[in-house]
Amino acid sequence: MSAQQDKYPRLTETVSLINQVLYVESQEFEVGLCSNKMGESIGSLAILQFAFWWGLSVNNTLPLFCEAYDEVLNDPEGTCHPNIRALMKLCTFGEVYFTKAPQLQSELAVIDALWEIRDTLSPNNIADETNCIINSIISKLNNGSLRVAMKLGVEWFTIEQVKKAILLYFRINGNYVVKSNEAKFSQYSEDDFTKAGVSAVSNAVARFGSYIAPGVILMPSYVDIGARVESGTTVGTWASVGSCAQIGKNVHLSDGVGIGGLLESPQATPAIIEDNCWIGPGSMIGAGAIVAEGSVVGANCCIDIGATIVDFKTGIITRNGYIPPYSVVIAGTAPMRDSKHGLHEKCVIIKAQVRPEVRNKYTAEQLLIP
């Protein structure tokens, strides 16, 4: 591991994720009055090109620099990280100049063109080259080298071209009877499971095109195409992880948990469970919802876009599907808006937000005790 990776692991991961999506060509570039020669500041170049391609504001771009941005904030009069300091002085991202504009990685760029003619594609009308490109993207999802959504800095970004590729994959394959030997692990030998580092109990099904990281335990459950389950996570009995859902590291999905899938529309954010979360039995996390790192969600909670979320301490009500980091969440009821008859609706209550050290000290069950 390089010194850069040692000092800035989150920044290194951010640049690596961007390189999966964008073709970042070494080039000269300028950030305000700060000039960078060919081959210099490759990490800054990747982040700035992603921001340019995505249309981010300066304020939304700065957190993508992770630990390096924190260093600048902690030393405002210093000289380290000149690109970040120059960016902080700019009012608009239009004052960043590249020799060449950013481009999508070649396969993803082709997907946008194919999407425009998707109605003409079918199992009987697909060029071999096109078929190879679509299948290559699905294979990359399957082996984990590509993903549907990624967290850069503090924000999640959905790569709509990857979701489009999945939808095109369905179109070019048409409807057919799926045989048992087409599931992800159906042809695995004992050696294959050892190499993969995955434990899959009988009747656990992961569809080809999903990524199951080493150290995952799958009880009899289902993981759909495009979904990603990171290392150390347990997927409980009869739990399901829907298409494109993103499940972080060391997550516990209890029995009967449902994580919603979402393919249409391509730009929409899937359900996301960040690292070190615990989701209680029978809970449903819908598409677009984000359960942030370290949170504990009690039994039978339903969280999606539009669900009523009540902060117990402040009484503030939100309906954005977002559970803040290290929250302890339980199911409850709340008065319905504008109800003339005293009606109540199902909600979830953020009982508390705990410090990381408290979360690590107590079990999820202990934190949920009234």
Side-chain angles (χ1 to χ4, degrees):
M1 181 177 287
S2 69
Q4 175 84 355
Q5 288 173 314
D6 267 336
K7 189 174 183 181
Y8 306 118
R10 289 190 294 123
L11 176 60
T12 299
E13 181 181 9
T14 293
V15 173
S16 176
L17 289 171
I18 289 172
N19 285 330
Q20 291 180 10
V21 177
L22 284 184
Y23 173 61
V24 182
E25 183 177 1
S26 180
Q27 59 180 279
E28 297 178 358
F29 67 101
E30 297 176 3
V31 186
L33 299 177
C34 182
S35 297
N36 296 264
K37 297 179 181 178
M38 178 84 73
E40 289 182 347
S41 306
I42 297 300
S44 291
L45 175 62
I47 290 170
L48 293 170
Q49 287 213 328
F50 179 84
F52 182 81
W53 173 63
W54 201 272
L56 299 181
S57 67
V58 169
N59 286 336
N60 287 334
T61 301
L62 288 167
L64 303 188
F65 288 92
C66 303
E67 303 98 332
Y69 180 47
D70 293 338
E71 284 187 2
V72 174
L73 292 178
N74 292 330
D75 184 17
E77 303 302 322
T79 58
C80 63
H81 309 300
N83 283 314
I84 299 176
R85 295 181 186 277
L87 189 63
M88 291 172 71
K89 295 178 181 179
L90 303 181
C91 295
T92 69
F93 201 79
E95 297 174 79
V96 179
Y97 302 96
F98 304 111
T99 306
K100 296 180 181 179
Q103 296 178 324
L104 280 170
Q105 289 284 10
S106 58
E107 288 179 342
L108 295 179
V110 172
I111 293 299
D112 274 332
L114 292 172
W115 186 253
E116 295 303 315
I117 60 168
R118 60 189 181 279
D119 290 339
T120 68
L121 301 178
S122 70
N124 298 319
N125 183 31
I126 180 74
D128 288 343
E129 183 180 358
T130 300
N131 190 53
C132 286
I133 288 172
I134 295 172
N135 280 285
S136 173
I137 292 174
I138 303 304
S139 294
K140 288 179 179 179
L141 287 171
N142 191 68
N143 65 30
S145 60
L146 186 64
R147 56 191 300 163
V148 168
M150 55 191 186
K151 188 177 185 181
L152 304 180
V154 296
E155 298 290 333
W156 280 90
F157 296 87
T158 301
I159 310 305
E160 62 179 89
Q161 290 80 7
V162 179
K163 292 177 74 175
K164 289 176 179 176
I166 297 173
L167 292 168
L168 291 172
Y169 177 75
F170 295 157
R171 180 173 285 273
I172 65 172
N173 283 288
N175 293 325
Y176 63 97
V177 175
V178 178
K179 300 178 181 178
S180 60
N181 63 1
E182 294 180 39
K184 187 180 183 81
F185 301 124
S186 59
Q187 300 297 309
Y188 269 37
S189 65
E190 185 174 336
D191 286 343
D192 291 330
F193 275 109
T194 300
K195 291 176 183 177
V198 174
S199 297
V201 176
S202 297
N203 296 320
V205 177
R207 193 169 177 179
F208 185 84
S210 62
Y211 175 65
I212 311 298
V216 168
I217 297 173
L218 299 177
M219 299 304 286
S221 55
Y222 180 71
V223 181
D224 207 348
I225 189 170
R228 187 179 182 95
V229 182
E230 296 286 7
S231 60
T233 288
T234 297
V235 181
T237 302
W238 311 135
S240 61
V241 179
S243 56
C244 302
Q246 306 289 292
I247 312 298
K249 297 177 181 178
N250 303 315
V251 169
H252 182 87
L253 302 181
S254 301
D255 296 352
V257 164
I259 308 297
L262 182 66
L263 281 170
E264 302 95 348
S265 58
Q267 69 272 19
T269 303
I272 294 167
I273 313 294
E274 293 188 353
D275 295 349
N276 304 307
C277 288
W278 189 93
I279 311 298
S283 288
M284 298 290 166
I285 313 298
I290 299 177
V291 180
E293 181 176 1
S295 292
V296 173
V297 177
N300 300 312
C301 289
C302 184
I303 303 169
D304 60 9
I305 296 296
T308 299
I309 302 171
V310 182
D311 188 301
F312 178 77
K313 288 188 176 180
T314 65
I316 294 175
I317 295 176
T318 57
R319 294 181 173 86
N320 57 5
Y322 179 72
I323 301 298
Y326 297 97
S327 294
V328 180
V329 179
I330 58 174
T333 61
M336 293 185 70
R337 288 179 289 181
D338 304 322
S339 173
K340 297 180 181 179
H341 307 288
L343 300 178
H344 285 62
E345 63 180 341
K346 186 175 182 179
C347 73
V348 293
I349 301 169
I350 299 177
K351 173 184 170 184
Q353 280 186 268
V354 299
R355 300 187 306 277
E357 57 269 26
V358 173
R359 174 67 177 89
N360 294 332
K361 182 178 180 181
Y362 296 99
T363 66
E365 291 86 352
Q366 287 173 320
L367 291 171
L368 288 168
I369 293 174

